[in-house]
Amino acid sequence: MSSLPPSTVPAHVAIIMDGNGRWANARGLPRTMGHRKGVETVREAVRTAAECGVAYLTLFAFSSENWNRPQSEISDLMGLLKTFIRRDLASLHRENVRIRVIGDRANLRSDLLPLLLEAEETTRLNTGITLVIAFNYGARDEIARAVRKLAGEVAAGRLDPSAITPERIGASLDTAGIPDPDLIIRTSGEERLSNFLLWQAAYSELMFVPDFWPDFSRETFLAALARYSMRERRFGGLQPTLAVGS
Ligand code: FPP
């Protein structure tokens, strides 16, 4: 169990799960094995986040740019997600986990989309942690789809351009209704966002950890949450001590 006071636990943690391929290479294994081991880390991360009182955990499972990978790796990643939903849906549901999927659903494999929809529908009323799976997700694509939707409403005369506020844009994104991530973690030592939650990350705390995703243990996750609890977030304002009397 985490010893962090509830007020310092981030409500929303988003993770760029990076380094599966390098984890496998370092062991002379095929990349696939890294992704497989990565699924075990996913299970543990969901459990740890739920235990700590994190309300939303978003995992970047497949980016819109990942289609550029070899066909065999794409099939493998799709297969892993499919297996994860098939095997874990019942236990996630039992554990009161709510599943949301973000990303472009158009042109998703016909054997995958129904599973994702089923996972969302089955767990819709659950009240525990929300596991947000970013699949076929790219932030620029998400923003472009939202803009197209709003432009369509303007063109149809249903929306005045002056009503296009940041709130309205946020509500048109795939993440509508989900609070912005408080903390974004990227594993494997890479330090960039790679088209992940660009709009939502405006005030997120960023944390880069050296571990490859398959090695991202419960202890590393807890340490990241502890480091987050020490950060001071100002959202463009002043440090509270400097703001007093101003
Ligand atoms: C990055 O490692 C990881 C991915 C592109 C996929 C992550 C997917 C999973 C862990 C499995 C499926 C997900 C769920 C939610 C069940 P990389 O291949 O880019 O590693 P590298 O940078 O070392 O090559």
Side-chain angles (χ1 to χ4, degrees):
M1 209 47 193
S2 138
S3 54
L4 294 172
S7 62
T8 64
V9 174
H12 183 176
V13 178
I15 307 184
I16 303 174
M17 310 181 284
D18 197 10
N20 291 348
R22 279 165 286 162
W23 180 92
N25 281 345
R27 287 161 178 77
L29 297 168
R31 292 176 58 80
T32 315
M33 295 307 289
H35 296 316
R36 268 165 214 211
K37 186 77 172 47
V39 177
E40 289 173 30
T41 310
V42 165
R43 293 192 179 101
E44 190 179 39
V46 177
R47 267 196 306 271
T48 307
E51 257 178 49
C52 291
V54 170
Y56 295 83
L57 176 68
T58 299
L59 299 177
F60 202 2
F62 192 88
S63 79
S64 25
E65 288 73 34
N66 286 154
W67 295 107
N68 299 323
R69 295 194 174 201
Q71 194 50 48
S72 58
E73 185 166 343
I74 295 175
S75 292
D76 203 62
L77 283 168
M78 304 270 164
L80 281 178
L81 182 65
K82 225 165 82 176
T83 313
F84 173 74
I85 303 263
R86 283 215 183 109
R87 281 211 195 133
D88 291 48
L89 182 58
S91 60
L92 291 167
H93 187 36
R94 243 189 340 266
E95 285 158 30
N96 201 18
V97 176
R98 187 165 58 139
I99 296 177
R100 271 276 296 266
V101 180
I102 59 169
D104 190 2
R105 294 172 183 211
N107 309 319
L108 276 192
R109 264 171 39 172
S110 59
D111 56 341
L112 190 56
L113 185 59
L115 274 180
L116 298 178
L117 296 175
E118 183 195 338
E120 285 188 318
E121 187 49 34
T122 307
T123 62
R124 194 166 55 89
L125 298 176
N126 287 348
T127 53
I129 189 170
T130 301
L131 171 62
V132 184
I133 301 175
F135 193 80
N136 195 21
Y137 176 86
R140 288 180 172 180
D141 172 69
E142 176 192 36
I143 294 168
R145 282 186 285 110
V147 169
R148 272 201 298 277
K149 197 157 58 185
L150 292 171
E153 285 180 35
V154 170
R158 288 192 299 269
L159 179 68
D160 189 86
S162 66
I164 301 181
T165 57
E167 291 71 29
R168 185 80 186 223
I169 295 174
S172 306
L173 297 171
D174 296 346
T175 49
I178 298 174
D180 289 343
D182 301 291
L183 172 63
I184 299 181
I185 300 173
R186 183 175 189 144
T187 59
S188 90
E190 307 287 344
E191 300 190 355
R192 56 182 172 272
L193 284 179
S194 299
N195 203 15
F196 185 50
L197 301 176
L198 296 183
W199 175 274
Q200 299 85 342
Y203 287 102
S204 303
E205 293 294 322
L206 307 181
M207 209 170 278
F208 303 103
V209 299
D211 316 61
F212 294 140
W213 175 249
D215 289 330
F216 184 77
S217 62
R218 172 185 160 79
E219 289 67 35
T220 317
F221 197 175
L222 291 176
L225 296 177
R227 270 168 68 200
Y228 169 85
S229 73
M230 311 296 283
R231 297 238 182 133
E232 187 191 301
R233 303 183 70 196
R234 295 201 291 276
F235 300 96
L238 289 180
Q239 241 173 297
T241 44
L242 295 178
V244 170
S246 60

